[in-house]
Amino acid sequence: MSISKLGLQSTFRPTFDLELCDGCGQCASECTFNEIKMVPHGDSQIPVANRRSCGACHRCEIMCPRGAIKIIEDPFVTRPHGIWTPHHINRTHLQASTGSVALTGFGAETNVPVWWDRMLFNACQVTNPSIDPQREPMETITYLGRKPVSFREVDDPSALVNRLIPVNIPVLFAPMSYGSINLNLQKAMARVAKKLGLLWYTGEGGLHKDLYPFTDWAILQVASGRFGVSPDYLKMGRAYQIKIGQGAKPGIGGHLPGEKVLEGISETRMIPLHSDAISPAPQHDIYSIEDLRLLIYAIKEASGYKPVCVKIAAVHNVAAIASGIVSAGADMVYLDGFRGGTGAAPNIVRDNVGIPIEIALAVVDQRLREEGIRSQASIVAAGGIRNSADIMKAIALGADAVAVGTAVLIACGCHGCQRCSSGKCPWGLTTNDPELSGRLDVDWAEDRITNLIKAWHHEIQEIMGLNGIYDIGSFRGNRLLLRGVDLDEKELSLLGIKYAGE
Amino acid sequence: MCGIAGLISHQREKETGERIKKAMVLQNDRGNGLGAGYAAYGIYPVYRDHYAFQVMAETSFALNAVSELLHNNFWVAHTEEIAVWDKVITDHPLFMRYFVQPKIREKESNPDDFVMEKVMHINTSIDGAFVCSSGKNMGVFKGVGTPKDIYEFFRLDEYHGYCWIGHNRFPTNTPGWWGGAHPFNLLGFSIVHNGEISSYGINKRYLEANGYICTLLTDTEVVAYLLDLLIRRHGLSIMDAVTVLAPPYWSTAKRYSDPKQRDKMIGMKVIYEPAMLNGPFAILAGFDGGLFSITDNTKLRPMTVGTTSEYTYFASEVSALYEMEQDFTQVVTPRAGQPVIVKYHTNAKGD
């Protein structure tokens, strides 16, 4: 250690069982952060940890052919203090060393309550029978888009049905751009969306030509950088999404450094090789709701009136903003809560800006209903959805569908080391380094994501069945199916649910 | 568990409530004495063009408030106490009947909308008062007691109607109280229901966004309001409305060979997703043009139907059908989710 290393202490490290280790060196080649080095030892060599850069990604541990590695916690101990924890001391040292904004990836890690965990489902007992999903139909088909208030307004039902977007399970793959993740992962998601009848979002990085066969299941994004947006792009998608904000970093833009703008990305984003790809914080043609309306209708005109979705970060005034977005003509509102993931964001923004999706979703759904415009737009909830229970709680609060990003990464190997912005993702997910992205086999990733969605689908059907509900439509917005625990009156009223026992 | 019975004369031949009572008394054990009720159509021929408000009030103060509200908003043609035999049930609310016409200019507002709004207003803002029924030439009689008690209490052998429905309650989720007994009514729609509506939470929110206020603490209330919204305000046919409430599965709808029929079904399912009923239910609903039944898609509650050339009968139990009629041309048990709709003959009598 030297004084220049202040703030760089790792709190994990790999340990090696030298009795099992045969010195093959696989671990050293797997580690992309140079935590492990092979050193000569007698006739052979053994791995040694430098104890400075382990992020607990578990790549070495899982890939070790001998099972000789275990990642352990290696706390950097400071004198116990309620405010100045090792985390804050380390952070201060780090910034004093570098003078820069501390970047991170993944989703917020603060101890703000997770309201999902404070809501519990009802179940049938005696007076209404539960339904066994193994024996009875249990349907999760959902149609997304703008719906009329009354069937009387429908002159041509076929035109209505064709305008809407059906999904077999209301779980979508959240926008993650080509650039923030690599093409292999996008391909895997696109294949699963096509196979299972779901939707995937492109994110703001444009649409690589290899993905053209999957556009019927794709929502293509138009973000502040306008990457990859062309007349053809505006004809190809099933729907379009205008990205205003992101839950992990509301109010700020993005920056893909030039060294990451490699050939495929340069072509897809339609920018010169190795030029910085900068997404400005606001869309510079949207400074007001009227401007948003113009862009919504510009995209509708250009695309032949395909549905347009607007993605916003959940912020304080989210209900009024969402109401404005629906009035401005959006067919879907995508709400991204503050726990949503990111490829790169200032740590301080990720952990301190925005509001949680549970509350945002509840107030938006209620507000749109009160204004009589709920049917005009579907609500997609995202940002910290971890499992099928979270999904169904979101549906019960009023979401038409949820979107998951982090869970997809985890399904493909991610262990949450939060170093997505480094470009060194050891699992080959959030990197476009040709060698590292080769670590992600598309077929394998497709299987993993398929399995995850299928497992969730079974669980969703169980949750519906044990509530005696055979169609997810009767679960949607049905807040009587939820009860709160450890919540105060204000939280209950914002969530629109009763307390356990009521 | 609850008991249901209904009968309808295709030719609008009138009769007292005797036969419906027998069907309900036979099903006595389907309830627990905490609620029973009847609805009868065709019972007020003299005032057939007036809305008949049948009001229940816990205090004379509440009743006066209703009276004042009605007089301020309606031309009241006739007011009378609803005759009761209080030896059967001594502890009961006050009952009053008003035959009224809205004080509105026709172009200003739809009279049915006006009545609906006033019903919601009375139920929400006058403490202790509820409107049992508000349709024309019909009435709802309900309270806490057995089917026999309620029948005798309201002296239903003195009324003559061409369509009767009855209900016997075994409350499980909500308290047994006079306002919570079935049938639930709004304008011409009267609903009796056996079961539990698991979709209540979203049905209620959907109705509230459409100006209805659910005040009666019972899930069945939403069915009456949904029918009013779908049929009267959205102009759906009875068949379409019934399909919206208990639609076919997606897997069935998507198999329809006729693309027009398929897209109509998908369109209705999509638009009316929050109106769909889920959970175990068998529902019998009276309306100005007839009577219909629906059950849930899994058929978790019973409903049988018996027909003769002149009448159609409905009951939870087959044995109850035979309390009303001995000689059926057929007795059928509708399949899960299959509605049965009976309309008066076009050449039937006028009232």
Side-chain angles (χ1 to χ4, degrees):
Chain A
M1 293 291 250
S2 76
I3 202 149
S4 67
K5 301 295 183 194
L6 272 173
L8 290 175
Q9 290 77 11
S10 167
T11 52
F12 309 94
R13 67 182 167 91
T15 58
F16 307 97
D17 187 331
L18 294 180
E19 282 182 16
L20 293 174
C21 175
D22 63 0
C24 73
Q26 172 110 16
C27 48
S29 63
E30 293 291 346
C31 182
T32 53
F33 289 91
N34 298 320
E35 169 69 16
I36 303 171
K37 187 164 73 173
M38 300 305 290
V39 296
H41 183 74
D43 305 341
S44 177
Q45 52 176 6
I46 56 166
V48 175
N50 77 14
R51 307 181 68 165
R52 200 165 295 137
S53 50
C54 179
C57 76
H58 290 271
R59 179 78 187 184
C60 60
E61 181 176 334
I62 286 160
M63 298 308 282
C64 174
R66 306 288 300 222
I69 303 178
K70 185 162 182 56
I71 305 291
I72 59 164
E73 266 198 300
D74 187 9
F76 178 76
V77 184
T78 57
R79 191 182 181 96
H81 190 281
I83 310 294
W84 285 98
T85 59
H87 170 82
H88 290 293
I89 290 175
N90 245 350
R91 171 70 51 79
T92 309
H93 280 306
L94 188 65
Q95 293 195 287
S97 306
T98 62
S100 42
V101 170
L103 279 184
T104 185
F106 215 55
E109 60 176 3
T110 55
N111 56 359
V112 172
V114 177
W115 278 273
W116 298 132
D117 296 336
R118 298 178 181 202
M119 292 187 278
L120 300 171
F121 291 112
N122 192 21
C124 297
Q125 295 291 296
V126 182
T127 60
N128 56 351
S130 36
I131 307 173
D132 184 352
Q134 308 292 334
R135 296 176 45 176
E136 304 287 343
M138 196 61 65
E139 301 191 314
T140 55
I141 290 176
T142 300
Y143 278 74
L144 300 174
R146 175 171 294 248
K147 298 157 196 169
V149 172
S150 154
F151 194 72
R152 193 166 44 183
E153 296 167 25
V154 180
D155 296 328
D156 179 3
S158 301
L160 167 69
V161 172
N162 291 335
R163 206 175 66 227
L164 298 169
I165 309 177
V167 286
N168 286 331
I169 311 165
V171 178
L172 320 178
F173 299 129
M176 292 183 282
S177 70
Y178 174 36
S180 75
I181 60 170
N182 57 50
L183 197 56
N184 288 349
L185 184 53
Q186 277 203 337
K187 278 182 188 165
M189 286 193 296
R191 284 191 199 170
V192 178
K194 179 177 178 179
K195 185 167 63 181
L196 301 183
L198 313 175
L199 290 169
W200 66 285
Y201 290 89
T202 56
E204 62 176 307
L207 182 73
H208 191 274
K209 55 183 186 296
D210 287 1
L211 296 167
Y212 288 179
F214 302 95
T215 48
D216 280 353
W217 297 268
I219 299 185
L220 310 189
Q221 204 173 65
V222 176
S224 62
R226 295 287 195 276
F227 297 118
V229 178
S230 69
D232 287 342
Y233 182 84
L234 289 174
K235 295 217 156 47
M236 273 189 279
R238 187 75 176 83
Y240 291 88
Q241 184 182 61
I242 298 171
K243 178 189 178 183
I244 300 294
Q246 185 176 338
K249 42 179 176 177
I252 66 171
H255 178 188
L256 189 66
E259 59 263 33
K260 291 190 188 174
V261 179
L262 305 172
E263 210 161 311
I265 295 173
S266 145
E267 186 190 348
T268 305
R269 293 203 177 210
M270 301 177 182
I271 53 173
L273 202 60
H274 302 308
S275 63
D276 283 5
I278 294 177
S279 298
Q283 302 226 5
H284 279 301
D285 53 358
I286 303 179
Y287 287 176
S288 68
I289 192 81
E290 307 91 274
D291 293 345
L292 176 67
R293 187 185 182 87
L294 287 178
L295 184 60
I296 289 173
Y297 278 92
I299 292 176
K300 286 189 176 185
E301 280 289 340
S303 67
Y305 279 80
K306 289 186 177 157
V308 174
C309 170
V310 175
K311 175 182 175 180
I312 51 168
V315 291
H316 298 180
N317 204 17
V318 67
I321 297 167
S323 161
I325 288 172
V326 176
S327 309
D331 304 283
M332 288 190 246
V333 182
Y334 184 113
L335 302 171
D336 200 13
F338 102 118
R339 283 189 298 269
T342 176
N347 208 315
I348 208 78
V349 175
R350 188 195 72 174
D351 291 352
N352 292 284
V353 182
I355 64 171
I357 187 62
E358 301 93 315
I359 306 268
L361 166 62
V363 299
V364 167
D365 175 68
Q366 182 62 23
R367 175 70 166 263
L368 297 185
R369 283 181 197 280
E370 282 167 10
E371 295 183 358
I373 54 175
R374 179 64 184 83
S375 67
Q376 292 182 20
S378 297
I379 300 177
V380 179
I385 305 244
R386 302 160 300 180
N387 52 43
S388 57
D390 291 356
I391 293 170
M392 290 309 276
K393 287 169 187 174
I395 299 285
L397 285 179
D400 287 282
V402 302
V404 290
T406 304
V408 170
L409 298 180
I410 292 175
C412 296
C414 168
H415 283 71
C417 77
Q418 308 189 18
R419 294 181 293 191
C420 321
S421 65
S422 67
K424 295 180 186 171
C425 177
W427 291 91
L429 301 165
T430 61
T431 173
N432 276 280
D433 177 288
E435 198 190 318
L436 289 181
S437 28
R439 288 184 179 187
L440 186 71
D441 180 70
V442 182
D443 293 336
W444 178 80
E446 182 189 341
D447 284 349
R448 298 276 299 180
I449 301 169
T450 305
N451 284 342
L452 180 69
I453 299 293
K454 283 191 170 169
W456 282 353
H457 193 209
H458 285 305
E459 291 172 342
I460 286 170
Q461 291 176 316
E462 288 293 341
I463 291 169
M464 288 163 57
L466 63 86
N467 272 297
I469 285 177
Y470 65 79
D471 189 316
I472 203 163
S474 292
F475 218 97
R476 186 165 289 120
N478 192 343
R479 298 187 185 175
L480 281 180
L481 297 174
L482 298 174
R483 287 294 186 276
V485 286
D486 198 15
L487 296 173
D488 64 26
E489 288 287 342
K490 188 71 188 174
E491 293 166 304
L492 291 168
S493 105
L494 287 171
L495 292 166
I497 62 172
K498 294 182 175 179
Y499 206 81
E502 277 189 293
Chain B
M1 189 166 85
C2 299
I4 289 176
L7 68 87
I8 177 168
S9 157
H10 306 156
Q11 298 291 349
R12 299 192 200 245
E13 289 293 344
K14 290 189 187 177
E15 64 184 85
T16 69
E18 188 59 29
R19 290 203 291 165
I20 197 79
K21 179 193 79 174
K22 280 168 69 186
M24 289 315 304
V25 169
L26 180 107
Q27 302 182 99
N28 191 61
D29 287 357
R30 297 190 70 87
N32 65 354
L34 286 180
Y38 300 86
Y41 287 79
I43 52 178
Y44 305 129
V46 175
Y47 294 104
R48 71 167 72 96
D49 297 328
H50 288 69
Y51 295 92
F53 271 68
Q54 305 216 124
V55 176
M56 163 193 304
E58 280 159 16
T59 60
S60 55
F61 181 79
L63 194 57
N64 288 341
V66 174
S67 224
E68 194 183 323
L69 185 140
L70 289 176
H71 279 93
N72 287 340
N73 292 285
F74 296 89
W75 305 110
V76 181
H78 181 65
T79 307
E80 62 192 13
E81 273 184 38
I82 297 178
V84 298
W85 186 31
D86 56 11
K87 288 208 171 42
V88 187
I89 300 170
T90 48
D91 183 19
H92 62 81
L94 305 166
F95 287 95
M96 195 67 109
R97 179 184 301 132
Y98 305 83
F99 293 103
V100 304
Q101 288 290 3
K103 281 185 190 171
I104 50 165
R105 289 196 193 90
E106 263 182 39
K107 280 182 187 166
E108 255 172 50
S109 158
N110 177 307
D112 285 344
D113 285 339
F114 185 83
V115 170
M116 169 199 138
E117 191 189 304
K118 296 307 163 200
V119 169
M120 296 295 149
H121 183 72
I122 293 171
N123 289 351
T124 49
S125 64
I126 300 181
D127 199 24
F130 290 97
V131 179
C132 294
S133 60
S134 52
K136 290 175 178 172
N137 200 8
M138 59 79 60
V140 165
F141 306 87
K142 62 181 186 178
V144 175
T146 63
K148 181 168 178 289
D149 291 345
I150 294 297
Y151 182 83
E152 289 173 354
F153 176 76
F154 283 108
R155 299 163 56 167
L156 294 179
D157 53 336
E158 297 172 14
Y159 293 82
H160 293 83
Y162 40 69
C163 172
W164 287 85
I165 57 180
H167 184 262
N168 181 17
R169 189 165 183 229
F170 202 135
T172 44
N173 288 326
T174 49
W177 66 294
W178 285 74
H182 301 210
F184 286 93
N185 166 278
L186 182 64
L187 294 161
F189 297 105
S190 306
I191 318 299
V192 290
H193 163 225
N194 170 18
E196 184 168 311
I197 297 175
S198 310
S199 54
Y200 176 66
I202 183 57
N203 302 143
K204 179 172 180 280
R205 295 183 75 210
Y206 176 61
L207 287 165
E208 282 169 354
N210 280 287
Y212 298 86
I213 306 164
C214 300
T215 49
L216 299 177
L217 313 173
T218 302
D219 52 8
T220 309
E221 188 182 17
V222 298
V223 182
Y225 301 161
L226 285 170
L227 287 173
D228 182 62
L229 177 73
L230 297 171
I231 296 171
R232 189 176 63 77
R233 288 172 60 190
H234 286 187
L236 267 57
S237 68
I238 299 278
M239 187 62 205
D240 284 349
V242 163
T243 307
V244 161
L245 296 186
Y249 289 114
W250 283 111
S251 48
T252 311
K254 291 197 163 184
R255 274 203 309 270
Y256 286 176
S257 51
D258 176 8
K260 270 192 177 159
Q261 194 197 3
R262 184 194 61 213
D263 289 345
K264 181 185 175 189
M265 185 57 69
I266 293 175
M268 288 204 298
K269 270 176 79 85
V270 164
I271 293 173
Y272 293 114
E273 177 187 282
M276 169 172 57
L277 301 177
N278 229 297
F281 61 82
I283 288 168
L284 188 58
F287 64 105
D288 290 331
L291 184 61
F292 63 87
S293 74
I294 39 174
T295 59
D296 64 84
N297 270 348
T298 324
K299 190 108 194 245
L300 296 167
R301 289 292 182 272
M303 180 66 79
T304 56
V305 184
T307 55
T308 68
S309 58
E310 299 293 311
Y311 285 90
T312 305
Y313 302 87
F314 296 82
S316 299
E317 297 179 11
V318 181
S319 53
L321 290 178
Y322 286 93
E323 289 291 285
M324 297 186 277
E325 175 69 53
Q326 295 298 321
D327 190 18
F328 290 106
T329 37
Q330 63 169 344
V331 172
V332 293
T333 299
R335 294 176 63 86
Q338 185 182 36
V340 177
I341 303 171
V342 185
K343 291 182 180 171
Y344 299 111
H345 280 181
T346 44
N347 59 352
K349 296 175 184 175
D351 56 315

